[in-house]
Amino acid sequence: MATLEVGEVTVQTGAWVSHSFSMPFAEVPVVVLAPSAQVDEPAAIRIKDVTKTGFQAVVAKPTGSSVAGASMTVSFVAVVPGVRQLPGSGLWLEAGRVSTAKLAASTKCRPSGGLSTSWQKVDFQNQFAEQPAFLTTIQTVNNEVGLPSANSEPWFTVGVNSVNPADAWVSLEMAETSQHGGSAVNQDEEVGWLAIQQGVHTFQASGQAVQCAAVKSSRSVRGWDNGPATVSFGADMGGSPLVVASQSKRFGGDGGWVRVMGTSSTSVEVVIDEDQNCDNERRHTNEEVSILAFSSGCILQ
């Protein structure tokens, strides 16, 4: 039975795509992934029906974007919940889930009756020596009414207010779309998260040496219209690393989410994307981003 898998999945608009893990997990894993730059309009990925054997995913677009045909091939990391260390006295990592209906949203274009925003605390079992890299993805679609054939409504990514050695704070990020379903959010969504010690480590998996790099960037990542920022892995990973990324702080008042623009053997280019529900601009102030990269796909048992 698997405890960790790193791989790729190709996702499209308009239909849920089923993806099977290479090996069943001992229990239902947490799945984290990040949208790529393969779609020009604002877009993210939603997943559902995560089981021991796989999950379903779709390219989601917020109100203000076309839902016409688009696809992305993106990296994913699936990990059994709990605390563990990568083989060979490697990096410590912890995976878990938290259920929440707490919202984050821009002050722009809110529902006429207003919107209550707040944050959900995530406590780590492992006591990290410094801020870990922190990756997040919503695992459910309990409030969703638009997907897969229409715009995602209510629009959710994961907002992260802060990441600390012992905890993090998250919410359902609506950005500038909260007038479209924000006042109707009445069910918890399950946020999957992965916290991993910053650093670089090589371990044996799937019959080969696999290098892993976990990084929490400085406040240097800006918006789609501003152009990508380069975040170094701290090592040469070789080839084309598989990378996931998430925001680690919410400085920008409009809200947003990370997209992976491209990778090299030593770094990744990322931006913060925004919806175009209220305006056409996708500029964004500098944010902190967490990166988790693997030199190749792999399975740990």
Side-chain angles (χ1 to χ4, degrees), residues 94-256:
E94 181 175 348
R97 305 180 184 90
V98 61
S99 293
T100 186
K102 295 183 183 296
L103 303 176
S106 170
T107 56
K108 301 175 184 176
C109 298
R110 288 197 176 186
S112 57
L115 188 77
S116 176
T117 59
S118 57
W119 297 92
Q120 178 78 48
K121 188 180 183 184
V122 174
D123 288 308
F124 303 145
Q125 297 178 52
N126 187 61
Q127 293 298 304
F128 293 95
E130 62 176 339
Q131 293 174 314
F134 187 68
L135 294 305
T136 59
T137 296
I138 301 173
Q139 312 287 288
T140 53
V141 286
N142 295 333
N143 293 277
E144 180 64 48
V145 298
L147 291 174
S149 57
N151 291 106
S152 177
E153 187 178 314
W155 173 258
F156 290 148
T157 56
V158 182
V160 178
N161 191 39
S162 63
V163 178
N164 309 298
D167 56 48
W169 295 80
V170 302
S171 64
L172 306 177
E173 176 64 75
M174 300 195 74
E176 298 177 29
T177 71
S178 61
Q179 64 185 176
H180 299 282
S183 57
V185 175
N186 55 20
Q187 295 188 66
D188 284 356
E189 299 288 354
E190 191 174 80
V191 175
W193 56 267
L194 172 61
I196 183 165
Q197 175 187 353
Q198 292 192 63
V200 178
H201 176 65
T202 300
F203 59 94
Q204 293 293 318
S206 303
Q208 62 183 328
V210 177
Q211 199 168 27
C212 171
V215 180
K216 184 174 177 292
S217 79
S218 62
R219 188 182 171 186
S220 58
V221 182
R222 301 194 68 190
W224 182 281
D225 287 347
N226 304 106
T230 301
V231 179
S232 173
F233 299 138
D236 190 331
M237 308 284 284
S240 300
L242 304 185
V243 180
V244 294
S246 296
Q247 264 185 248
S248 296
K249 186 72 176 176
R250 191 182 190 273
F251 290 103
D254 287 349

Side-chain angles (χ1 to χ4, degrees), residues 5-8 205-206 208 210 240 242 294-299:
E5 179 174 345
V6 180
E8 289 186 310
S206 303
Q208 62 183 328
V210 177
S240 300
L242 304 185
F294 290 84
S295 58
S296 65
C298 63
I299 301 171

Side-chain angles (χ1 to χ4, degrees), residues 48-118:
K48 68 172 187 174
D49 297 341
V50 183
T51 69
K52 295 177 184 178
T53 59
F55 61 92
Q56 294 191 63
V58 67
V59 174
K61 293 187 176 183
T63 300
S65 297
S66 164
V67 294
S71 65
M72 299 181 187
T73 299
V74 301
S75 305
F76 73 87
V77 179
V79 187
V80 168
V83 180
R84 60 189 43 80
Q85 193 173 21
L86 290 177
S89 300
L91 304 176
W92 283 96
L93 63 90
E94 181 175 348
R97 305 180 184 90
V98 61
S99 293
T100 186
K102 295 183 183 296
L103 303 176
S106 170
T107 56
K108 301 175 184 176
C109 298
R110 288 197 176 186
S112 57
L115 188 77
S116 176
T117 59
S118 57

